[in-house]
Structure formats: structure tokens, C-alpha cells
């Protein structure tokens, strides 16, 4: 999923929870952590702006009260 410089991160919650978005570089260093607040059951989307980051591969992790999910993203400028 190459993007430049913004992307939409979509996710579905099977039950309500606090949600946090964490972004890491290829070496596993944290580049951003954002509290997305309490979200209800259903589909959600978050716009992520990576204009301050260098080109390359990044990973994001969505963390809830009951699970976490990681995905890769490619920033191309």
C-alpha cells in the first residue's frame, strides 16, 4: 500500500474499546503514538499524515483493550 504523504488506516472493532495507534520505522523505533480514544463497535478510519517522515517502510500497530494488530505501510515521496 504505497502512499504519499497521507493514508487512511481502516479497522473494525467487534466490541467497544480504547484504541491507540503506534507507528514504527523499519528498525522498530517508535516514530509516533496517538491515542484515538474510546471507539464503539463497528468500522472506523483514521487519516495518517506522514509528511514529516522519510521515504521507506513503516509498521503501524492498532492496540485495543483486548487485542492488537500490526500492518506494513510504504511511504513513497
Amino acid at each position: 500500500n504505497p502512499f504519499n504523504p497521507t493514508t487512511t488506516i481502516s479497522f473494525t472493532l467487534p466490541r467497544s474499546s480504547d484504541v491507540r495507534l503506534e507507528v514504527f520505522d523499519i528498525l522498530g523505533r517508535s516514530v509516533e503514538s496517538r491515542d484515538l480514544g474510546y471507539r464503539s463497535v463497528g468500522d472506523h478510519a483514521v487519516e495518517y499524515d506522514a509528511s514529516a517522515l522519510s521515504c521507506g517502510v513503516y509498521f503501524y500497530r492498532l492496540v485495543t483493550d483486548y487485542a492488537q494488530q500490526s500492518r506494513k505501510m510504504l511511504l513513497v515521496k
Side-chain angles (χ1 to χ4, degrees):
N1 67 350
F3 68 99
N4 176 21
T6 62
T7 188
T8 301
I9 298 172
S10 300
F11 58 98
T12 302
L13 295 177
R15 56 184 176 220
S16 299
S17 175
D18 285 314
V19 179
R20 187 173 70 248
L21 171 67
E22 301 171 340
V23 180
F24 302 91
D25 67 12
I26 193 74
L27 298 176
R29 296 178 294 207
S30 177
V31 296
E32 185 172 352
S33 182
R34 187 187 309 174
D35 183 14
L36 302 179
Y38 189 79
R39 301 288 178 116
S40 60
V41 172
D43 297 329
H44 301 276
V46 175
E47 190 77 18
Y48 182 70
D49 183 0
S51 57
L53 300 176
S54 301
C55 295
V57 176
Y58 292 88
F59 298 90
Y60 70 85
R61 179 169 54 200
L62 289 165
V63 181
T64 66
D65 295 335
Y66 54 86
Q68 58 183 337
Q69 181 179 44
S70 298
R71 294 281 187 258
K72 180 173 71 171
M73 55 186 176
L74 176 62
L75 174 59
V76 180
K77 290 187 178 181

